[in-house]
Each structure stands twice: as structure tokens, then as C-alpha cells.
Amino acid sequence: VVYSPTIAFSPGPDTLGKNVIYATTDSGTTPTKNGVDYTGTATLVEGETASAAFDLETIAVRGNSTATKVKKPYKLKFTDKQKPFGMKSDKTWVLLANYGDRTLVRSKVARDLGKQLDGLKWTPDSVFTELFINGKYLGSYQLVQSIKIDSNRVKVDKVTGQVMEFDPHWKDGDGTFGFKGF
């Protein structure tokens, strides 16, 4: 059980998972809209072991269509690099809500299968976690490495390398699907 003299935690499930994130925004406001960044702290609990409170440079709602759902996905950017729950060190992490998946496991299974395939240079690592923000239990999430050019992520030249996403939700003015580039 994690105790805070300043925050009353709302009850979550009777039993929490092995990994729990307790995030607190400096303003006390829970992020609900895309494009608004908050600062704060996060404590990571793995089993019975709680970390010190880490400073968050940013906690914000992320995503496009998923940001409009009731259960929001988040981006965490720590002030200093962290190794949450034994994953590789980095500052930026994504909390997937998996709102459209009632099983909450399809994204994790796909990533785990991707790690086992030959020919894939990198597949994001992830773990399941429970999430509290400002003392309120928000549910089960998937903490995932963010996709970016980095020695621990997508290993391509930082000047000439590119990361592209085909997003079927984005449409050009003429109604065709695609992506924008240089």
C-alpha cells in the first residue's frame, strides 16, 4: 500500500497488478485534453517496492482518435532517464489505454510477437501497469516505449533517418488516405 500525506487515493480494484504508477500533477488537475501539458511527479511501484518520486517534465493526453475516448492514453516524459519496471532507460514513455480492446491484451500480444520475428530491428517493449493520477484510479494501462530515433529505440541516422506512420484516420484535402513528408 502506498501512503501519501497529501493525497487521498480513490479505491481501485481489491487487488492491483504487479506494476503500479502513481502520478500527481503539480496543478492537481488530471489531463483530459490533447495538447495540454502538465508537470508533476510519478512514483513507480513494482511488487512491494516503491521508487522515489520522479519528476515529470510532461504528463499529457496523447493520440488522435484514442484521445477522444473516455479512458485517455497518456505520454509521460521524465525529467531524467528512467528504467520503469526493468525496461531500457529513456525519458519518454507512452501509457496506452487499450480502450477499444475489451481484453486489454491485443496490443501487448502483437508487440511480443513482433519481438520474436526475424528481420524486425526493433519492436517497442511494454509492460502492464495500473494507473493512479492525483489519487484517482484510472485503470489498467500498457506502458510502452515511445517510437523515436534513438540508440535504445529506432536505430537510424538522426539527420537522414525517418520514422513514418501510415494513419488511416488522416485524410488529405481530396479524401485520400496517406501521410505527409518532405
Side-chain angles (χ1 to χ4, degrees):
V1 174
V2 174
Y3 170 76
S4 170
T6 58
I7 298 172
F9 292 103
S10 64
D14 291 337
T15 305
L16 292 174
K18 175 184 169 191
N19 303 317
V20 183
I21 297 175
Y22 295 92
T24 305
T25 60
D26 291 336
S27 66
T29 305
T30 299
T32 57
K33 292 191 328 188
N34 203 344
V36 181
D37 292 347
Y38 296 82
T39 57
T41 59
T43 300
L44 309 178
V45 179
E46 186 172 4
E48 299 290 321
T49 306
S51 71
F54 297 115
D55 290 331
L56 291 172
E57 183 178 312
T58 302
I59 179 170
V61 172
R62 68 169 302 276
N64 293 313
S65 61
T66 56
T68 65
K69 307 300 182 203
V70 175
K71 185 179 177 189
K72 305 294 184 201
Y74 295 98
K75 177 179 93 171
L76 299 178
K77 184 172 184 182
F78 292 95
T79 303
D80 298 309
K81 287 186 175 185
Q82 303 301 327
K83 292 182 176 183
F85 311 119
M87 292 192 285
K88 288 187 177 182
S89 179
D90 206 87
K91 291 171 77 171
T92 308
W93 299 88
V94 171
L95 283 163
L96 297 179
N98 291 323
Y99 181 78
D101 174 14
R102 292 183 189 209
T103 68
L104 303 177
V105 299
R106 289 189 313 219
S107 178
K108 176 81 167 128
V109 168
R111 282 180 169 79
D112 288 353
L113 286 172
K115 285 185 161 303
Q116 296 177 25
L117 293 174
D118 286 340
L120 292 179
K121 299 271 187 204
W122 179 76
T123 301
D125 200 6
S126 70
V127 297
F128 290 116
T129 184
E130 308 287 334
L131 178 64
F132 286 81
I133 296 182
N134 295 322
K136 182 179 180 186
Y137 178 73
L138 298 184
S140 178
Y141 279 75
Q142 183 181 355
L143 183 67
V144 181
Q145 291 177 303
S146 63
I147 298 171
K148 65 180 183 177
I149 296 174
D150 183 87
S151 62
N152 285 332
R153 309 281 169 103
V154 180
K155 293 181 184 180
V156 297
D157 185 271
K158 288 190 177 194
V159 176
T160 60
Q162 295 184 22
V163 176
M164 291 188 260
E165 174 185 9
F166 177 77
D167 186 350
H169 301 287
W170 183 85
K171 292 184 179 179
D172 199 356
D174 65 0
T176 58
F177 295 106
F179 63 91
K180 287 185 179 181
F182 291 119

